[in-house]
Amino acid sequence: IELAKKAAQIDTTLFISGESGTGKELFAQAIHHASDRRNGPFVAVNCGAIPDNLITSELFGYEGGSFTGADTKGKKGKFEQANAGTIFLDEIGDMPLDAQVQLLRALDEKVIVRVGGQQPIHLDIRIIAATHKNLLEEVKQGRFRNDLYYRIQGIQLCLPPLRDRGEDILLLANYYIKKLSSRFNKKHVKLSEDASSYLLEYNWPGNIRELKNTIQQALFNLDDEVIFPRHLPEHICSSSSKQKSEKDKIIEAIKKENGHMTCV
C-alpha cells in the first residue's frame, strides 16, 4: 500500500503483477484516484477478453468505413477515451503479438494511429499494465515481446497472494461480512473462533475473490448471527491441517486397537 501511494505520485508506466484475484485492478484504480490524474478518466481493458481480430481497433480506434461492420463515423479506441487520465491494461500477457507491436509505439511516443487512418494522435496518458502470468517465461516461449516486456516495467508493484497475508485474511473476511450481510437480511454477524481458524489455515488459491465468495456462501448458509465451520464451503474445512490431524488420530487409534472400532 505504501509503495502504491508512492507510485501515485510518479507519472510513469506502472506494472502490477500478482496471482489472479489479488486485487490488481483495485490497486490500479486507487493509484489513479490518488494521482494528479484523478480528475481524468480511468479506462480498464481486459486484454484477454477481446477477440484477436478486434483488439487493435478496440485499443486504438478506427476511421469510418475501415472494415465491414465499422461505424461510418469512426470510433475512439480505449487509448483516446483515456486521454488526460489512466488506461489500465489488465492481462497484458494475453495480448496477441501483432497488437504488442503497436502498443510498443504507444508506450514509447504516446502516439497512436486509428485503424484505417493516417493522422497520428498525440495522447497525454498514463499506462498501468497487469498480469497474473510470468511474463519473463512468456518472453522465453516467444509469446511476449522482449522489448515490450522491459518497456512496461517502468515501476513494478507485486501484490502478495492472500495466503501470505496472515491476519489480513480475517480483516478482509470481516469486511465482506459487513459489506454483504444486508443482502441476506443479516445483522451483527460474527465469525466463530473455529471458523476463523479454518479461514487462516486455508491456502486460498483464488485469493481475495475466493474469500469474498466464501463469505457470501457462509452468509447464505447462516441461520443465526455466528458463522461456524459448518457454514463454510466444505472444501475450506476439509483441506485444513486441523481436519487432517483429527483424521490421522482416529486412524492411528484404530490401528492401535487392531481394527476393533468398539475399543476406539
Side-chain angles (χ1 to χ4, degrees), residues 10-180:
I10 304 171
D11 195 35
T12 190
T13 302
L14 172 66
F15 177 65
I16 303 177
S17 61
E19 295 178 7
S20 181
T22 50
K24 294 186 289 295
E25 183 171 349
L26 187 66
F27 266 79
Q29 289 177 350
I31 289 167
H32 167 75
H33 289 300
S35 75
D36 291 339
R37 295 180 176 272
R38 65 179 69 88
N39 295 322
F42 176 85
V43 178
V45 184
N46 187 333
C47 300
I50 305 174
D52 290 1
N53 61 329
L54 294 178
I55 192 165
T56 302
S57 60
E58 282 291 315
L59 291 178
F60 307 117
Y62 59 83
E63 297 294 346
S66 298
F67 52 86
T68 303
D71 190 316
T72 55
K73 297 179 181 179
K75 184 181 178 182
K76 285 184 177 181
K78 300 297 185 183
F79 272 78
E80 282 187 78
Q81 293 173 30
N83 198 24
T86 303
I87 187 167
F88 175 54
L89 301 173
D90 197 12
E91 301 304 346
I92 194 171
D94 293 327
M95 180 177 285
L97 287 168
D98 289 345
Q100 290 178 30
V101 176
Q102 297 186 54
L103 177 59
L104 188 62
R105 185 187 179 194
L107 284 165
D108 280 333
E109 304 173 16
K110 301 293 174 64
V111 173
I112 63 165
V113 177
R114 290 184 179 184
V115 174
Q118 300 293 328
Q119 187 70 29
I121 300 171
H122 295 265
L123 300 172
D124 172 22
I125 194 171
R126 183 183 192 178
I127 298 169
I128 301 179
T131 186
H132 71 280
K133 290 184 174 181
N134 182 334
L135 279 192
L136 191 55
E137 183 60 32
E138 294 296 299
V139 169
K140 291 177 181 178
Q141 297 298 325
R143 294 189 290 262
F144 200 82
R145 289 181 61 93
N146 184 66
D147 46 6
L148 181 57
Y149 170 77
Y150 290 108
R151 186 62 186 83
I152 63 174
Q153 300 202 32
I155 296 176
Q156 300 176 48
L157 188 65
C158 182
L159 300 188
L162 184 58
R163 60 182 171 274
D164 292 343
R165 292 178 58 177
E167 290 294 328
D168 280 4
I169 294 170
L170 297 184
L171 288 173
L172 287 164
N174 284 302
Y175 165 78
Y176 282 120
I177 286 172
K178 192 172 184 179
K179 183 177 181 180
L180 302 174

